[in-house]
Amino acid sequence: MPESPIHEEPPVIQHPTSASAQHRAGGGGGGGLHGSKTNLTSSSKHGSRVNIGHAASVGGAAPPAVGEGQVPPANAIVFENTYRIKPDKKFQSEVVRRITDEILKSRLTKTKYSYDTVPELTQSISNEIMAAVKKLEYDRYKFVVDVTIGEFKGQGIRVASRAIWDTATDSYVSASFKNATLFAVAMVFGCYYE
């Protein structure tokens, strides 16, 4: 008979003053850490899911109430998942493209290619584009800005990139610029962070 898949129950944190709770949690003494490796909590009962009322106790016993000699948490901050899988404000490629084009034109129109200054120039243009995109306040987006500058001598160049992402929320922008001595390609990637 084939084995059924293992179904793990989420660990339930018991109040450490209960002897039976310490025994079930695998600890015999002391008020150490209880729970699984990914859900460790101190022996304090402030903020655990059991004590907030989101999970049932093991064996049907309810966790001790706050009134039994325990002090309620003062100004306790409890963070919970938002479960937002779609952004409130989606990455707008055209707006970012326009900003990127403006920055490239303003910084490179009168610039001549110089091997010595290109590394600092690419870094400063990347930082300027990043700061301008962050001002658009795309909540929960991560950005990557890549700027490539090279000497222009009539040659052709092709710049490519690959990524695995969610096409419904993530996008990119590519902008290019050239003058008599140099070319520049800037790519901005906007990835929604769930």
Side-chain angles (χ1 to χ4, degrees):
M1 182 160 128
E3 293 183 16
S4 62
I6 297 174
H7 177 69
E8 289 188 28
E9 292 290 325
V12 177
I13 312 295
Q14 293 291 327
H15 193 269
T17 58
S18 167
S20 62
Q22 288 180 353
H23 177 70
R24 283 192 300 263
L33 298 177
H34 304 288
S36 70
K37 183 177 180 181
T38 59
N39 191 19
L40 290 177
T41 183
S42 67
S43 61
S44 169
K45 66 183 248 175
H46 304 297
S48 72
R49 298 191 118 222
V50 171
N51 297 314
I52 299 173
H54 285 93
S57 301
V58 173
V66 174
E68 297 177 9
Q70 299 294 323
V71 178
N75 299 329
I77 298 174
V78 179
F79 294 103
E80 293 186 350
N81 293 330
T82 61
Y83 300 106
R84 289 191 327 182
I85 57 173
K86 300 291 179 196
D88 293 333
K89 181 180 177 184
K90 191 175 174 186
F91 184 80
Q92 298 171 352
S93 299
E94 195 53 44
V95 174
V96 176
R97 181 176 289 115
R98 187 172 59 246
I99 290 170
T100 306
D101 278 332
E102 289 173 5
I103 291 172
L104 288 177
K105 286 178 187 174
S106 68
R107 294 290 303 272
L108 299 174
T109 299
K110 296 180 181 179
T111 305
K112 291 189 177 185
Y113 181 82
S114 172
Y115 176 78
D116 298 328
T117 60
V118 166
E120 293 84 20
L121 185 61
T122 56
Q123 186 174 10
S124 67
I125 291 174
S126 296
N127 290 339
E128 189 174 341
I129 292 171
M130 179 70 81
V133 172
K134 284 185 176 182
K135 285 181 184 177
L136 297 174
E137 296 181 355
Y138 291 113
D139 190 32
R140 300 178 79 167
Y141 268 90
K142 304 285 184 183
F143 301 103
V144 177
V145 177
D146 179 40
V147 176
T148 304
I149 297 177
E151 186 174 9
F152 182 65
K153 292 188 173 182
Q155 78 277 20
I157 185 168
R158 190 173 295 243
V159 178
S161 64
R162 289 183 179 207
I164 298 175
W165 61 25
D166 184 2
T167 57
T169 58
D170 305 337
S171 188
Y172 77 100
V173 167
S174 177
S176 60
F177 174 84
K178 71 176 179 176
N179 63 18
T181 62
L182 62 81
F183 69 89
V185 178
M187 292 185 289
V188 181
F189 300 92
C191 299
Y192 183 68
Y193 186 69
E194 294 179 356

